[in-house]
Amino acid sequence: MTLLLDTLGALPTQNQDMPLRESYLLGFDTETTGTRAGADAIVSASLVLRAPASASTSTVSGEDVLAGWIIQPDVPMSPGASAVNGFTNEYLAEHGAPQTEALPHIAQIIRLAQEKNIPLVAYNAPFDVHMLQGDLAKLHAKPLDIHLVVDPLVIDRAVSRRRGKRTLTDTTRYYGVQPRGDFHTAQADTVATLDLIEPLTRLYPSCNVPLESLMEYQRAGYTAWKKSYNEYRVASGRSPIRGSWL
């Protein structure tokens, strides 16, 4: 954690007109006890800082700067979540750090990156962001002002018209990204998510927007996708989905 924080601290604040492809990025992923923000809890988290020059060539042992946490949750693992991520209550009790120790460190790193206009990159970002905010709220900690996010799922939906599932595994396979470790571990998923930025911005230059337009671009893309998806759901006799992206 110290290396990542020190590396971030030495970086200049990025200009708002910086294109996504040329930006530093802070990857983020979590594993959790379940899916309910504020009720379930984070049990594993990873943050990975990537320099733009290493976007297509970095390795976990190379230019990326990583920090990871195993965390003791305040609620037990659900059987469904445990089957996916492999964490057990016994393992977390033995190896996990207290929430009061780990979560403020995670928040400190993300807050510093946001202050320097370094986007937080997460696949299906609302899940990880809301889970973190929910855990911080349980600690009565100050909520994070996360104003600059990159969600490769939202971008992929906006630029690619392919059929089929768009899980992280499916999407990385589609773009030729080779996994580095097992999916459903926070570190492997974080690195894989960062690896998607290079092929997305290379194959679809329209998504290589400046940082100042990044959130507007993704919200517009999500809105267009939701409209199309809801038309399909209604035609299939199902209820439309609600809400917006972040």
Side-chain angles (χ1 to χ4, degrees):
M1 189 208 84
T2 302
L3 176 59
L4 178 51
L5 200 57
D6 290 346
T7 304
L8 266 175
L11 294 177
T13 299
Q14 297 194 128
N15 294 328
Q16 290 282 11
D17 59 358
M18 177 78 71
L20 173 59
R21 189 175 174 85
E22 299 174 23
S23 173
Y24 275 87
L25 303 170
L26 182 67
F28 179 48
D29 188 70
T30 64
E31 300 296 334
T32 62
T33 63
T35 60
R36 303 165 300 163
D40 286 302
I42 295 171
V43 299
S44 174
S46 174
L47 287 167
V48 179
L49 178 66
R50 178 166 294 182
S54 63
S56 62
T57 59
S58 64
T59 63
V60 172
S61 60
E63 290 88 350
D64 286 344
V65 183
L66 302 94
W69 296 262
I70 304 295
I71 305 170
Q72 297 175 5
D74 59 340
V75 293
M77 289 291 306
S78 71
S82 183
V84 171
N85 58 42
F87 286 107
T88 64
N89 294 315
E90 294 75 17
Y91 181 89
L92 294 169
E94 181 178 355
H95 299 282
Q99 288 181 315
T100 52
E101 174 186 315
L103 293 171
H105 288 163
I106 296 169
Q108 181 184 14
I109 293 170
I110 294 176
R111 183 176 290 112
L112 178 57
Q114 292 288 294
E115 290 172 354
K116 290 178 176 285
N117 289 331
I118 296 175
L120 188 70
V121 183
Y123 199 84
N124 190 22
F127 176 80
D128 298 289
V129 169
H130 292 155
M131 289 299 301
L132 178 58
Q133 298 283 34
D135 275 4
L136 290 172
K138 285 189 286 186
L139 296 181
H140 305 289
K142 181 180 178 180
L144 282 169
D145 175 19
I146 302 177
H147 61 274
L148 198 54
V149 175
V150 179
D151 190 338
L153 173 60
V154 170
I155 295 175
D156 176 54
R157 284 170 171 167
V159 297
S160 170
R161 298 295 181 253
R162 75 181 189 277
R163 296 181 180 274
K165 295 181 179 179
R166 298 192 190 232
T167 66
L168 178 58
T169 304
D170 294 314
T171 302
T172 51
R173 184 181 297 119
Y174 177 78
Y175 287 103
V177 170
Q178 298 298 317
R180 307 176 193 183
D182 296 327
F183 281 121
H184 300 305
T185 65
Q187 181 174 300
D189 285 0
T190 307
V191 172
T193 299
L194 286 168
D195 285 345
L196 285 170
I197 301 303
E198 190 278 330
L200 278 169
T201 54
R202 171 171 46 83
L203 295 170
Y204 304 102
S206 62
C207 70
N208 189 32
V209 296
L211 299 182
E212 61 189 353
S213 305
L214 192 55
M215 300 302 285
E216 181 182 357
Y217 171 83
Q218 291 174 102
R219 289 190 179 111
Y222 179 86
T223 299
W225 168 81
K226 185 176 76 169
K227 180 178 183 295
S228 175
Y229 183 56
N230 277 341
E231 289 173 353
Y232 163 76
R233 288 182 64 89
V234 171
S236 303
R238 291 183 286 173
S239 300
I241 61 171
R242 308 291 182 184
S244 58
W245 178 82
L246 289 177

